[in-house]
Amino acid sequence: MWVVFETVNDGRSVIYLPFDNLKNYMQVHFGKNREIAKVIRIMGKNLNSTYENPIKIKISSSLKEKLLIKETLKYRLIVKENSIIIGPVIGFLLGSHNNLYSPIHMEKYSDRFGIYDKVGGLIYAFSPNTVDWENRKIYGLYYNINNLKWEYGVFPFPDVVYRRNFHSSNLIIKRLRLELNDRVFNSHRFNKYELYEFLRKDDYFKRYLPLTKISNEENVIFMLEGFEKVIFKPIDLSRGRGILIAEREGDKVKIYDYRKKEDSILKIEKNVFMNFLKENKLLSDKYLVQQYIKLKKYKDCFFDIRIVMQKGENKAWDCSGIECRVAKINTMVTNISKGATAHSIDSVYKSLFNDRAEEEKRNLIDFCKNLCSYLDTMGEIFGEFGIDVALDEEDNFWVIEVNVFPSFKGFKQMDYLTYLNIRYNPLLYAKSLTEFEGD
């Protein structure tokens, strides 16, 4: 049932409920807070409540303060055995930097609340630095649905945490997982090489991986002997940052350098290429050297595909959206941040595959579902992935990257409704992990 709270001045822990057959004292749950309260039964309430017409429930000021309930929100309430459960309480973990937690910065998260009427409860953002472990309180900002603003507050430990940033200590994440019974999703961010090593253990997925090695002198020589063109990537960066492509041309190496704001192309002698890599700190365990995939073209431009896979209310992996990222003319980098543009897969596939377009699209989605299920066997808790797939000139597809912290800028440009649904799904998934699953 949907409820709103009205505070009555009372030094006792008291809650007034319109139910029969309740015990005189029951445990009230709000997030991870627990408090024994006296239950006073009231009559005459219509129990067919909705988000638009919630039941007004009276609660003592003492109980409200102990549980840290915000009176301005709409909540779900259920009774299970000897417990009264109020919520849900969902936490956004956005990283350790304090500047991430201000009303101005948090505005960009407000569009996620278009489905608040499907979720309800307390949704707040917090930093690992603002967790008071001893007193079991968390300081942060919550979204006040009444005035559509982010406001500072003190909160209970949440029912579930949606991790949307990875500048947090792994020890903190482990502690939160322990506190919340593993209800911390996106619990781990793997780097590109960790992903490669995990996928190549499976014979099926190994076929879809471009050969990838740590960038040291021996591996670079091996890769340049085996492939006409290779790509250098930072092991831990995304969005096209730090990329360099090297192509053999006789006794020379042609370099396409995308590491800086302005792209550049140069040719150097093959025998000084290693010195170039050393001087630019590209021979490092922080860089990978990878087989370059000859991308298929759409309207004479290279493109790849970003598939957003998410768990929603049903806790199963589903495709939330697909964009084809089409590079600028004469450019090999397909990241939106590097000037690529987003196109719908339907328009691109119809142009490339004609009558096979729907079949090819289904095959791609089925592959991504299988990939997500396999990644779940890592032993971590994942809720969303941005899977980057490349189509080569023979229509084979290759897994380029799986991002646990994907960007949705292309969808925002291309299809705003799809973008919003992508933004909504993590809240629906978070709710499904609480006692209000299916409510």
Side-chain angles (χ1 to χ4, degrees), residues 211-227:
L211 184 61
T212 303
K213 292 182 177 292
I214 296 293
S215 180
N216 58 43
E217 191 165 339
E218 180 183 354
N219 287 339
V220 171
I221 291 170
F222 174 81
M223 293 292 282
L224 277 175
E225 286 177 351
F227 302 101

Side-chain angles (χ1 to χ4, degrees), residues 404-432:
V404 188
F405 181 29
S407 170
F408 310 125
K409 289 180 181 176
F411 292 98
K412 195 172 185 179
Q413 297 171 5
M414 179 186 71
D415 184 345
Y416 195 68
L417 286 178
T418 295
Y419 164 78
L420 286 178
N421 285 330
I422 290 170
R423 301 282 278 177
Y424 296 158
N425 272 328
L427 289 182
L428 296 172
Y429 178 52
K431 173 182 166 285
S432 79

Side-chain angles (χ1 to χ4, degrees), residues 164-211:
R164 186 60 194 169
N165 188 288
F166 293 88
H167 299 293
S168 303
S169 159
N170 286 331
L171 291 176
I172 293 291
I173 300 304
K174 286 179 181 177
R175 193 169 181 182
L176 279 171
R177 288 180 64 173
L178 188 63
E179 288 280 347
L180 307 185
N181 301 317
D182 258 351
R183 292 175 177 175
V184 179
F185 64 96
N186 297 351
S187 59
H188 176 67
R189 184 188 190 185
F190 39 75
N191 64 42
K192 293 180 179 70
Y193 196 64
E194 187 182 354
L195 171 73
Y196 176 78
E197 287 291 284
F198 184 75
L199 292 182
R200 71 191 291 267
K201 293 175 186 176
D202 184 273
D203 289 339
Y204 173 73
F205 292 111
K206 186 178 181 179
R207 293 179 291 162
Y208 298 93
L209 299 174
L211 184 61

